[in-house]
Amino acid sequence: MILRDEDLEGCSVTPLIAQGLYLEPVIHPKPGAVTPLRPHSDKSVVDFIVNASIAEVALYEACTWRSRGLGSPIARGFKVYRILASKLGLKTNIALGSLTLALPLAAALSSKAGAPVSEVVREAHSIVVNETGFEEAVEYYKLIEFLKPSHLGSYTGPVPSIGSGYPSSFTDILKAASWDLVHRELLEGYPITLEAFNMLAEGGAPIAESFLTTLLELLARHGDTLIASKYGFTAYKRVKAEALEALRTLSGGGVYEAVEWLDSLWRPRGWNPGAALDVMAAALGLLLYHKIEGK
């Protein structure tokens, strides 16, 4: 099917949302996370950039799928991402949370491009709550099964575990995993993503400095559920306390020294605040959209 010009009016700006997935991994330093100078044993910043490139295609597909009325934009995005990852031989979870947060935002641009960020986010939440069902649940499970995230573990609860069937709806998955920051954001309308976006938009500092200051604020206020899932509730509380301590040092050495101090604590422990960074990637995408398209 040939796309008409009017089909592209909204979806042509989806790369702005995708830019958050490109920018987040290249910011240095970060506490415990992949940066250009500090890779993990199983992934580097190059892997994140490759991941962002196929995520960008998935975001565009989600948007155009909705604008052309072809079916579920979220399911389409998950499926396209999985197919491209398979073709490239990518079988490591690089930034599944970032993709999952970004897909509804991209789909929302099919009808809300040029609108303020708050309207785009409301539309994205409406898509999640009102326009998803079994198809999205199936594609999400297939993607998780393909990537096999290291924190997956075993599960017993209101939805089937990965590999043992599919939930009846995507929102059932979100409700069952509402303890997790990313799933809760989708379910509740991106409150922490908007919190991060507003801090970035009002920061006034260069984007890397604003990013790091905002990241510390989020960690101090909300902790990180990826660290909690791997290391327990005591680690979760310690994340918040140590991030708050890093914030208290900002007036002395600045944000880079504060983050370096936190990195010196977290990296040896294997702590990577991946959930908070997923939110930050979405917030960065919204920031760039706001600067170029939003009102």
Side-chain angles (χ1 to χ4, degrees), residues 1-82:
M1 182 180 296
I2 298 174
L3 289 177
R4 300 161 298 176
D5 289 344
E6 56 264 34
D7 291 323
L8 301 174
E9 289 177 357
C11 298
S12 61
V13 299
T14 55
L16 299 176
I17 300 297
Q19 285 305 303
L21 281 77
Y22 288 98
L23 285 175
E24 181 275 311
V26 302
I27 292 175
H28 177 88
K30 290 195 296 288
V34 168
T35 78
L37 301 181
R38 293 169 189 161
H40 286 176
S41 61
D42 62 339
K43 59 182 78 75
S44 71
V45 73
V46 173
D47 298 310
F48 275 83
I49 299 303
V50 172
N51 170 81
S53 69
I54 63 173
E56 182 175 349
V57 177
L59 298 187
Y60 181 77
E61 281 286 311
C63 185
T64 57
W65 213 247
R66 186 171 187 251
S67 69
R68 292 151 64 185
L70 296 178
S72 165
I74 309 303
R76 176 66 174 175
F78 285 141
K79 183 176 183 178
V80 167
Y81 179 89
R82 176 169 53 84

Side-chain angles (χ1 to χ4, degrees), residues 74-109:
I74 309 303
R76 176 66 174 175
F78 285 141
K79 183 176 183 178
V80 167
Y81 179 89
R82 176 169 53 84
I83 290 171
L84 294 177
S86 178
K87 287 181 179 293
L88 290 176
L90 303 178
K91 293 188 177 180
T92 300
N93 175 29
I94 302 295
L96 175 58
S98 299
L99 172 72
T100 304
L101 287 171
L103 277 173
L105 297 172
L109 293 176

